[in-house]
Amino acid sequence: MDVSYLLDGLNDKQRQAVSAEEKDMLVLAGAGSGKTRVLVHRIAWLIQVMNHSPLSIMAVTFTNKAAAEMRGRVEQLMGRDVRQMWIGTFHGLAHRLLRAHYKDAGLPQGFQILDSDDQLRLVKRTIRALNIDEKQWPAKQAQWYINGKKDEGLRAHHIDAYDVAEQTHKSIYQAYQESCDRSGLVDFAELLLRAHEVLRDNKYVREHYQRRFRHLLVDEFQDTNSIQYAWVQLLAGKDNRVTIVGDDDQSIYGWRGAQVENLQHFLRDFPQAETVRLEQNYRSTSTILNAANEVIANNSDRLGKDLWTDGSAGEPIRVYAAFNEQDEARYVVGRIQEWLDQGNALQDVAILYRSNAQSRVLEETLLYAGLAYRIYGGLRFFDRQEIKDALAYLRIIASRIDDAAFERVVNTPSRGIGDRTLGLVREAARDMNLTLWEAARFLITENRLTGRAKKALQGFMELINQLEDECTDLPLAKQTDIAIRRSGLMAMYQSEKSEKAETRVENLGELVSATESFMPTGEEDMPPLAEFLAHAALEAGDEQADEHQDAVQLMTLHSAKGLEFPLVFMTGVEEGLFPSQQSMGESGRLEEERRLCYVGMTRAMQRLVITYAESRRLYGQEQFHSKSRFIGEMPTDALEEVRMQTRVTQPTDSRSRFHSGASHETFEQTGFQLGQRVLHATFGEGTVLNYEGSGPQSRIQINFDDQGSKWLVVAYAKLTPLR
DNA sequence: GGCCCTCCAGTTTTT
DNA sequence: CTGGAGGGCC
């Protein structure tokens, strides 16, 4: 068979990785070096050339998007259906494993997945049930604690609690887990932990999968946490080959448990592994690439990589020192308009920022300029309230023990089951170690409720029972439609007269369409409904925005990872914002910020623009930041510093920040103007921000690069104008 | 049940 | 300054 097409168009290193003999391998893949291509070709190579069955290969990614892309490209390359292949996310594959071995995992067959929102509610209820002060022990923190422990592979009983905080959190963890177990609920971290435990503790299951998967391929390995690493080790066993792909310079998720160290651990634990470096970059101009290289060179303990390109130098990186965030946004919009005038498309532009709060001013300015934009990271389809309500009905129809679903819909729409009644149900459940459904049934049969409450609760339970009787044999879409209508959910939103409610009605309609077009695979003998519910939990779905509209893309630096754009703006590149204030104390966290900077820069293909604001309104207060150290780490000859293009000579509107008593002429008599760079004997260089008074007695506010902002009397300050 | 008030926090996100 | 959450009140 002619397999040369598998190597066509690859560079030497890529070929080396694709066609390597069967061994463990670490592919250190720099930004834009074609790593997905290598992974996909490697899989095809193992099948076509090494004659492995597609069934014997497992490929793992972090996001559904990446998994879908990989699957699509493998199919395209090989020209055949590879549906039976295990390509998926860690969570998706763990779920698949637990479905197949639910008994070994100690789970009920119909176990449901708890998303983080549901998890938080359940943690909150647990805290209340334990009579712990919610103010002192916020549910968010407890949730964080629980997930952190699970990510480390720890159960509550593994934890030695030495202080009150740990003891409290431990007991919340314990009670929360009991509650999950009773209700057949599995949170995201639990999927991984439990799948790991099954593999670890059950020789039969472990050996079955070890015999099956001869090759494991893991993408974005720098993002793996401890439990994921342990998972890979277990599946690899002694005899199977592991290929990991990653880039320590793009590790930006340490704060949520990712262990960059896993790259080094891999080399330790798989000593035969060969390391292949993909260092040729096919994305950015050499100017951009070199600047990014210089920035990241400031980090220590790197595995080491030198990205290069044989592309052209392109244009310099523009650095704009904005007066404030509005000025920054105006500048960005101006450059976008210039880009459009040059015949380019809006969708090729991305505006990146460190924190979501920064998007507002950018949005307003884009809106004002009439430029379409799309924000990444909005509410996704299956995360919407009305969709979650509808799914909760489907869940409780499928599984009465699902307490999270019970809580969610027992009184939605309201049917007179208030806090008093629910309190009794929860109490009974707690006292007798029952699920909420069982407790409700108990209270009814034992006549422990007032007439009205009893009737209401009974009505709800009969509704669910009836829905099950009527629906189970119907097609999924029909089931969903009936559940939405008979439950009164649809009517509830229809009766509300607001735009929001209208959208919700539409979304419910769309949910029915989604179930119609959903194609169950029947894997692990899952009924279509169960499969759809898992799909909804594991893949929250895209945002609804028209993805294909020609629009500027707005997103955080984090969500830009893996993407590329011809024109990239990095905004708010200021000390305190980026690197963020919180990360400036610790070198490890600062280095992660630097990697984030590296990730941002390497998103740009042709043109990169970096902006920072001398002053910025943050939390209702004017703050003065100096430009980020990361800019200082870039080679000066790669940069073209742009400063205050439009001279500010008039207050622009009534909200002007300028002192009203003085005119600009008198200000200009001092010899300085806003935005001007000046040198002070002791404070160093800075930028003129504001002034008050007139003539030589006037005071002038300067944002010094190193000292922050200060007010000085012009007559005494001995300022030297620069430029 | 819904409205209004106060209080508080305030990177980054996927599953 | 904002948004979200919780508490109090009709």
Side-chain angles (χ1 to χ4, degrees), chain A residues 225-456:
Chain A
N225 61 32
S226 306
I227 196 82
Q228 287 159 338
Y229 186 81
W231 228 71
V232 172
Q233 275 186 304
L234 270 183
L235 283 174
K238 281 200 198 67
D239 304 322
N240 301 319
R241 300 286 66 94
V242 180
T243 297
I244 65 167
V245 181
D247 181 0
D248 53 331
D249 292 334
Q250 292 188 70
S251 161
I252 56 174
Y253 288 115
W255 53 274
R256 65 172 196 207
Q259 308 254 340
V260 213
E261 302 86 352
N262 283 346
L263 284 168
Q264 271 107 343
H265 293 168
F266 178 80
L267 293 174
R268 176 194 69 198
D269 298 333
F270 297 81
Q272 306 299 315
E274 177 186 352
T275 301
V276 180
R277 287 182 160 75
L278 304 181
E279 296 173 301
Q280 183 174 1
N281 172 290
Y282 295 96
R283 181 185 291 155
S284 308
T285 64
S286 64
T287 303
I288 293 170
L289 201 59
N290 293 341
N293 279 339
E294 296 233 351
V295 170
I296 200 68
N298 290 284
N299 274 3
S300 52
D301 295 326
R302 298 172 58 216
L303 288 175
K305 226 175 335 79
D306 283 306
L307 272 191
W308 59 278
T309 174
D310 58 12
S312 66
E315 0 179 327
I317 297 166
R318 276 195 260 186
V319 178
Y320 180 64
F323 184 67
N324 59 20
E325 71 272 26
Q326 270 96 15
D327 181 40
E328 176 183 56
R330 276 195 299 270
Y331 177 78
V332 169
V333 165
R335 298 289 71 70
I336 294 175
Q337 267 153 352
E338 182 182 282
W339 172 261
L340 293 176
D341 291 343
Q342 290 163 358
N344 299 299
L346 213 49
Q347 63 196 357
D348 289 340
V349 181
I351 306 177
L352 312 182
Y353 35 80
R354 181 62 181 75
S355 77
N356 289 305
Q358 286 167 251
S359 74
R360 218 192 67 213
V361 179
L362 292 162
E363 285 179 66
E364 285 165 0
T365 313
L366 286 164
L367 207 60
Y368 183 73
L371 296 175
Y373 64 87
R374 187 171 97 88
I375 300 193
Y376 272 55
L379 197 57
R380 289 173 311 174
F381 185 70
F382 289 113
D383 287 335
R384 285 157 207 271
Q385 177 193 302
E386 62 279 13
I387 301 302
K388 296 201 67 169
D389 290 344
L391 293 177
Y393 272 106
L394 294 174
R395 269 164 56 181
I396 197 148
I397 291 167
S399 164
R400 293 299 189 282
I401 63 173
D402 186 337
D403 279 1
F406 183 99
E407 286 269 6
R408 181 150 196 130
V409 296
V410 65
N411 202 34
T412 311
S414 65
R415 34 176 85 85
I417 304 171
D419 261 351
R420 302 156 266 91
T421 314
L422 227 42
L424 291 172
V425 177
R426 293 196 191 106
E427 198 182 288
R430 200 180 324 148
D431 292 348
M432 292 179 289
N433 202 20
L434 301 172
T435 64
L436 294 173
W437 181 273
E438 290 164 340
R441 201 171 45 198
F442 173 82
L443 291 181
I444 288 168
T445 50
E446 296 289 311
N447 252 323
R448 302 277 183 91
L449 297 169
T450 63
R452 263 199 1 219
K454 179 179 169 181
K455 209 165 164 217

Side-chain angles (χ1 to χ4, degrees), chain A residues 530-582:
Chain A
E531 204 178 324
F532 183 75
L533 290 174
H535 165 81
L538 287 172
E539 310 186 28
D542 292 320
E543 302 156 61
Q544 276 196 311
D546 341 77
E547 264 186 65
H548 303 293
Q549 192 196 357
D550 185 32
V552 185
Q553 318 282 307
L554 270 70
M555 67 190 86
T556 63
L557 286 150
H558 281 89
S559 27
K561 196 174 119 184
L563 305 176
E564 59 179 27
F565 304 91
L567 170 58
V568 168
F569 293 89
M570 280 171 69
T571 63
V573 187
E574 300 144 35
E575 287 291 296
L577 213 74
F578 187 34
S580 76
Q581 194 66 49
Q582 296 94 321

